[in-house]
């Protein structure tokens, strides 16, 4: 048996001093030798606790055994029995709270690097097989509409197309991918991976209609009248929250979504593009999730001298992936924990000149187990910054629910569905991903897309019987 | 891709483009807008749907050349295509129950005011229109307005055409003379909309203004278009673009709209060469075609 204390195989990364100014991918991926070595750390546990920790139950020991046996394509095939985009999940899943959290090897030393292995298998497959015909069942000419092309929509469209349905994917932006293209930056998730997923969809016969805002240019009723037999709503949760503090309306104050959309979707990082973005010297990012990390690291790459991250609780409570926090620190982001903004100051001509914060203290855990944060008196301090980016969370995109009063939503604007089938209050209309759960994770959105495809197929089959 | 079918210069800086887009033309209502991206490297900019024809399947935009994107649009000719065109976005202007309206347009804002006037007038509403320009050379759409309103008043700052003065001068004159309206719609530069709102306030005249904050997505996702109305934050792309003119925080709107001014000047400089190259290419293309 393997030495139970051997640490995990580290993954090569670009030097922080070099990468903090470029958008090239930070993590370089395992070589074949590294992947085999890491796969050999797996104990092949019969009860596979890791699989139970994965929201979609990837058959982890099975795919890792194939990597250990150098059957890399077999490993890829084993993963894609469960979900189709390991190149994405391997890079962005919060593994430390999911699959890897349950890994037995984690008890005595470090868990098996499941995410890195997943990424390796996917990258290997893409490098070996640049293009190939995807298996598909014979066409059955039943039309299904998928609205929104984030991970939930991409997965649902893919699975339905594979089952032979005629799928049309509607997207309001000019590019498909949802948060994967407008939110998560290139240095964490290269966009070639999403272009590849898009090409796969096209080769499966999925019609892709970009620049199409469902609810404005075409309503759900009209889609039904046009002959779509089912609709899957995967419109995400992008509506940004603000703090309602004074000075938030000043120039130089962005929501993380606007900042990231300008940098990623609109390529502000590439001087060939015409997208304007403030040239910041000193930036404050407010929040502690993945979105805040991405905004801070983008600001650094856009040339800021200093980037501050302000989070109201302590490091232990930060919801961001551990790896992102680690990378952000390496790149020189300055963390201010237990700090809460109270005002953005004005430079006298309507532009932000600083962020005034107070210090916080953590109290007892409340009924939900979360420790409450209390303001410390006389603890005010001001950071001199010219740009403030608010990354405080988001709620479901408003257009769909505004356009369709018959769609039941909860108080927060999340679409209400039957959990077993993802069916909404409207006949033939299903919903999943962030639009239902509020801001969550890529893998949960993919899981919802899969479940929706299954229940749509089931419903349509019984109808045609 | 959307094809330009007509291009017409309305004055030295304002241009009209009629663009093929049957889907948008079918759905558009007065007060709504589109977002377009000229080419892969371009910015997304919002422009009001100034007119639409569901039979021809076209929408019309009228824009003022102020920066890089609008200058790039200027290089296109009929037959050329625009890479991305999204719409209709925003809420249609609320004009139910209106019997007598005054529509006020300033400069390029007249383009945006036009569909409102036309729609109201064709719905049988008494529509007085006041349009204002800096001078005679900038006047446009006069004929179109004449056909679509009850009374048309034109003002110029220097008196070179129509009546000398600002649109607010004329508006106040009408209100003082006892004209009764149940709605005023004001569209133009922010200071002008603010003055119109200040003018109508003492008369208790409900006034809508159409706001033009910076936008990216137009679907309520970036918050770039946030404006303060009656002390609360609204997203102009999904909650507007029309708001109660008596409740808008105009100062905030103006500073936020100026946020990229310096950079845009710099960007325009950087991209000048590319524009020059584009325009040279366009001229050569034109020569070949001609
Ligand atoms: C910056 C950032 C970083 C993140 N990092 C991670 C991470 O590292 N790991 C992780 O697991 N999760 C991460 N997340 C969360 C994750 O990306 C989301 O949970 C996931 O993308 C949700 O997928 P979705 O398909 O439900 O929606 P989205 O990805 O939001 O896609 C929704 C799509 O629908 C489109 N749309 C909306 N309304 C309409 C309409 N009316 N008509 C047509 N189209 C419409 C939108 O334009 C969008 O493309 C991050 C999120 C952000 C913002
Ligand atoms: C709902 C809406 C409807 C509009 N309708 C019209 C119209 O019908 N005709 C018309 O001529 N203009 C209209 N505008 C304004 C138009 O969008 C801007 O003039 C255009 O974005 C300028 O782009 P540019 O690249 O040519 O200039 P830039 O070089 O980008 O900027 C020139 C000036 O415009 C401001 N600006 C930049 N981007 C935007 C933006 N996205 N929105 C608003 N202002 C911006 C800049 O701060 C600068 O002061 C509308 C704006 C909105 C929000
Ligand atoms: S999908 Fe995510 S959680 Fe599941 S095994 Fe892969 S990396 Fe782990
Ligand atoms: S728990 Fe860890 S060691 Fe056990 S099978 Fe899963 S990955 Fe391998
Ligand atoms: S334009 Fe992005 S929220 Fe309105």
């Amino acid at each position: 048996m393997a030495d139970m204390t051997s640490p995990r195989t580290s993954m090569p990364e670009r030097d922080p001093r070099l990468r903090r100014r470029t958008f090239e991918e930070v993590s370089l991926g395992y070589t074949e030798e590294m992947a085999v070595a890491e796969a050999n750390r797996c104990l092949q546990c019969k009860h596979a606790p890791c699989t139970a920790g994965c929201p979609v139950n990837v058959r982890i020991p099975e795919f890792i055994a194939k990597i250990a046996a150098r059957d890399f394509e077999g490993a890829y095939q084993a993963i894609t029995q469960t979900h189709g985009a390991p190149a994405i999940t391997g890079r962005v899943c919060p593994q430390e709270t999911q699959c890897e959290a349950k890994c037995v090897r984690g008890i005595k030393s470090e868990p098996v690097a499941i995410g890195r292995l997943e990424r390796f298998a996917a990258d290997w497959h893409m490098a070996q097989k640049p293009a190939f015909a995807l298996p598909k069942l014979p066409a059955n000419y039943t039309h299904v509409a998928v609205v929104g092309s984030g991970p939930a929509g991409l997965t649902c469209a893919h699975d339905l197309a594979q089952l032979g349905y005629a799928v049309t994917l509607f997207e309001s932006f000019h590019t498909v991918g949802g948060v994967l293209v407008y939110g998560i930056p290139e240095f964490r998730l290269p966009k070639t991976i999403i272009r590849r997923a898009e090409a796969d969809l096209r080769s499966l016969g999925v019609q892709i209609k970009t620049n199409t805002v469902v609810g404005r240019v075409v309503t759900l009723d009209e889609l039904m009248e046009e002959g779509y037999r089912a609709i899957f709503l995967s419109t995400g949760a992008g509506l940004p929250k603000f703090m309602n503090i004074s000075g938030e309306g000043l120039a130089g104050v962005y929501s993380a979504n606007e900042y990231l959309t300008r940098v990623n979707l609109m390529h502000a990082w590439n001087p060939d593009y015409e997208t304007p973005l403030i040239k910041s010297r000193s930036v404050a990012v407010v929040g502690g999730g993945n979105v805040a990390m991405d905004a801070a690291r983008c600001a650094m790459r856009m040339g800021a001298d200093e980037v501050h991250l302000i989070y109201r609780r302590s490091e232990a409570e930060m919801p961001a992936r551990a790896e992102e926090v680690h990378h952000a620190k390496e790149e020189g982001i300055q963390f201010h924990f237990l700090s809460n903004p109270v005002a953005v100051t004005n430079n006298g001509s309507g532009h932000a000149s600083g962020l005034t914060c107070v210090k916080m203290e953590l109290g007892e855990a409340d009924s939900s187990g979360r420790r409450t944060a209390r303001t410390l008196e006389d603890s005010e301090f001001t950071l001199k910054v010219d740009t403030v980016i608010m990354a405080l969370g988001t709620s479901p995109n408003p257009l769909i629910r505004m356009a369709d009063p018959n769609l039941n939503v909860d108080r927060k604007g999340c679409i209400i569905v039957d959990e077993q089938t993802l069916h909404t209050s409207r006949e033939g209309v299903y919903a999943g991903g962030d639009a239902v759960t509020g801001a969550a994770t890529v893998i949960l959105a993919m899981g919802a897309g899969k479940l929706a495809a299954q229940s749509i197929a089931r419903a349509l089959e019984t109808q045609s019987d | 891709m959307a094809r330009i079918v007509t291009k017409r210069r309305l004055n030295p800086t304002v241009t009209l483009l009629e663009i093929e887009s049957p889907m948008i033309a079918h759905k558009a209502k007065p007060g709504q807008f589109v977002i377009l991206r000229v080419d892969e490297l371009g910015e997304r900019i919002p422009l009001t749907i100034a007119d639409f024809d569901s039979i021809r399947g076209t929408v019309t935009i009228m824009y003022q050349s102020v920066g890089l994107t609008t200058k790039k649009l200027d290089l296109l000719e009929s037959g050329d295509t625009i890479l991305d065109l999204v719409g209709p976005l925003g809420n249609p202007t609320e004009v139910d129950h209106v019997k007598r309206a005054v529509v006020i347009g300033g400069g390029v804002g007249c383009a945006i005011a036009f569909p409102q006037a036309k729609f109201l007038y064709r719905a049988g509403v008494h529509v007085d229109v006041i349009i204002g320009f800096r001078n005679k050379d900038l006047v446009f759409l006069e004929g179109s307005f004449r056909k679509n309103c009850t009374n048309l008043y034109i003002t110029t700052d220097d008196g070179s055409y129509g009546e000398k003065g600002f649109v607010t001068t004329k508006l106040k004159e009408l209100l003082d003379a006892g004209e009764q309206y149940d709605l005023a719609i004001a569209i133009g530069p922010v200071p002008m909309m603010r003055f119109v709102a200040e003018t109508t306030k003492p008369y208790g005249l409900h006034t809508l203004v159409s706001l033009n904050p910076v936008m990216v997505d137009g679907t309520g996702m970036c918050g770039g278009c946030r404006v303060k109305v009656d002390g609360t934050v609204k997203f102009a792309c999904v909650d507007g673009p029309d708001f109660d003119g008596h409740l808008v925080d105009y100062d905030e709107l103006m500073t936020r709209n100026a946020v990229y001014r310096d950079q845009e000047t710099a960007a325009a400089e950087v991209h000048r060469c590319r524009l020059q190259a584009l325009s040279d290419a366009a001229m050569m293309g034109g020569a070949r075609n001609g």
Side-chain angles (χ1 to χ4, degrees), chain B residues 22-45:
Chain B
M23 288 269 277
I24 302 179
H26 182 65
K27 266 302 158 79
K29 295 215 173 62
Q32 293 189 299
F33 61 94
V34 291
I35 287 186
L36 60 78
R37 192 171 70 130
V38 177
D39 57 26
E40 173 56 33
L41 301 178
E43 223 188 307
R44 294 167 65 98
I45 67 158

Side-chain angles (χ1 to χ4, degrees), chain B residues 107-125:
Chain B
V108 69
C110 297
I112 311 174
F114 174 67
Q116 327 256 19
K118 175 173 161 183
F119 181 74
L120 286 165
Y121 185 68
R122 303 219 166 160
V125 176

Side-chain angles (χ1 to χ4, degrees), chain A residues 124-141:
Chain A
W124 191 91
H125 167 86
M126 283 199 286
Q128 306 301 312
K129 299 232 164 108
F132 65 106
L134 292 164
K136 186 183 164 183
L137 293 182
N140 65 22
Y141 305 108

Side-chain angles (χ1 to χ4, degrees), chain A residues 63 67 72-73 75-76 79 86 116-126:
Chain A
F63 96 76
I67 292 182
F72 304 134
E73 179 62 20
Y76 175 80
I79 302 167
R116 292 173 185 175
L117 290 174
E118 201 164 302
R119 165 188 169 156
F120 167 79
D123 288 357
W124 191 91
H125 167 86
M126 283 199 286

